[in-house]
Amino acid sequence: KDRFRTLRFGMSDCWVPPHLWGGFAEYLYLPFNSVVHRLPPDLPAELATLAIPLGNGFQWAVLDGGAGPGKTVLVFGPGQQGLGCVFAAKAAGAIQVVLVGHTRDRSRLDLALQLGADIVIDAEQDDLKDRIRSLTGGRGVDVVVDTTGDPTGQVAADSVALAAKGAHLNLNGLAQKVGIGDVKKLYLTVRAPRGHSYKAVQMALDYLYAQQSRLAALCSHSFGLAEVDAAIRATAGRGAAGAIHVTVNPWA
């Protein structure tokens, strides 16, 4: 009974009727009250699949985080969600967007610089706190989005340490190293990002349509339905070198 309360496309057990809840299949069950977006006929399907990670970017960085003109934004994680936050923040007019990753993420960090990020930081090679303090004149950043789901709590602790007074933090991992006193002292707004709204996805689709020639470089790999395992491994950085945005084409 409890399983039926939280039915969600792509997140529901395949054993729950009517079974076709989406993801890596030729067909998808759509109930009568499904919310859909109309895609421009000349928007490539592979690029259109970026609407969800980019929609999350608009939701987490802009609609929830307040990224906009004059704001400095710090994004942890150069995966699809992190890149989505970078693009959304720049589209909203953020004055400076900083993306943080690791040495293994070099190709994604370099691509982020080409596509809109102002600064990228390899946290394994650079002192993150020193770099941010230098970039902001010691003030800190206005918006932080963690897309890593860090289980150690270090990203959350760093987010608070690097935040300006009144900053908005969207923390996707554990925050056991952050005390309420730290939040109160800087008058921070702390959220846990959760999905996206209709508005955010529409903003993403409009952006993708306007920028499709520039963003095509994100669509790095496509797999057939029989190669789903390889596709999933590629998104985790295993097997396919340089994978960024990976799609599965059931009809290939």
Side-chain angles (χ1 to χ4, degrees):
K1 182 178 180 181
D2 289 338
R3 290 189 301 176
F4 284 89
R5 292 180 180 175
T6 56
L7 289 178
R8 189 176 179 188
F9 291 114
M11 302 289 288
S12 299
D13 194 317
C14 64
W15 300 111
V16 177
H19 312 294
L20 298 175
W21 290 106
F24 316 131
E26 294 98 331
Y27 299 100
L28 170 68
Y29 169 70
L30 292 177
F32 74 94
N33 59 343
S34 296
V35 177
V36 297
H37 292 264
R38 183 183 296 275
L39 299 180
D42 51 347
L43 180 64
E46 284 189 337
L47 202 57
T49 61
L50 281 166
I52 297 304
L54 185 56
N56 288 342
F58 275 102
Q59 187 70 49
W60 302 350
V62 180
L63 299 180
D64 292 343
K71 297 294 181 69
T72 298
V73 180
L74 175 62
V75 179
F76 285 95
Q80 295 180 35
Q81 315 292 336
L83 291 172
C85 290
V86 169
F87 303 146
K90 290 302 293 184
I95 192 171
Q96 189 172 65
V97 179
V98 182
L99 178 63
V100 179
H102 296 286
T103 302
R104 65 177 181 272
D105 303 318
R106 190 70 254 173
S107 61
R108 294 186 180 192
L109 294 174
D110 290 342
L111 183 61
L113 281 174
Q114 297 174 32
L115 297 180
D118 297 294
I119 303 290
V120 297
I121 297 176
D122 180 342
E124 294 177 318
Q125 303 295 325
D126 300 321
D127 187 304
L128 176 60
K129 293 181 180 179
D130 283 350
R131 287 290 307 278
I132 296 299
R133 291 186 183 114
S134 175
L135 289 169
T136 63
R139 176 179 172 273
V141 298
D142 303 297
V143 180
V144 181
V145 184
D146 167 30
T147 68
T148 68
D150 171 42
T152 71
Q154 189 57 51
V155 170
D158 289 343
S159 298
V160 172
L162 297 172
K165 185 174 182 179
H168 283 66
L169 314 183
N170 267 358
L171 304 180
N172 218 2
L174 297 180
Q176 70 269 30
K177 296 182 180 180
V178 176
I180 192 65
D182 300 317
V183 175
K184 183 176 181 180
K185 180 180 178 181
L186 290 172
Y187 201 63
L188 304 176
T189 298
V190 181
R191 292 175 180 262
R194 183 179 181 274
H196 44 262
S197 61
Y198 184 94
K199 179 179 180 180
V201 176
Q202 190 58 54
M203 292 170 72
L205 287 170
D206 293 342
Y207 181 80
L208 286 167
Y209 184 70
Q211 302 288 333
Q212 56 183 298
S213 60
R214 189 168 67 93
L215 297 181
L218 291 172
C219 300
S220 61
H221 292 71
S222 180
F223 295 86
L225 189 58
E227 303 171 297
V228 167
D229 181 69
I232 294 174
R233 291 178 182 276
T235 62
R238 292 179 288 170
I244 299 173
H245 178 63
V246 176
T247 55
V248 173
N249 181 356
W251 308 108

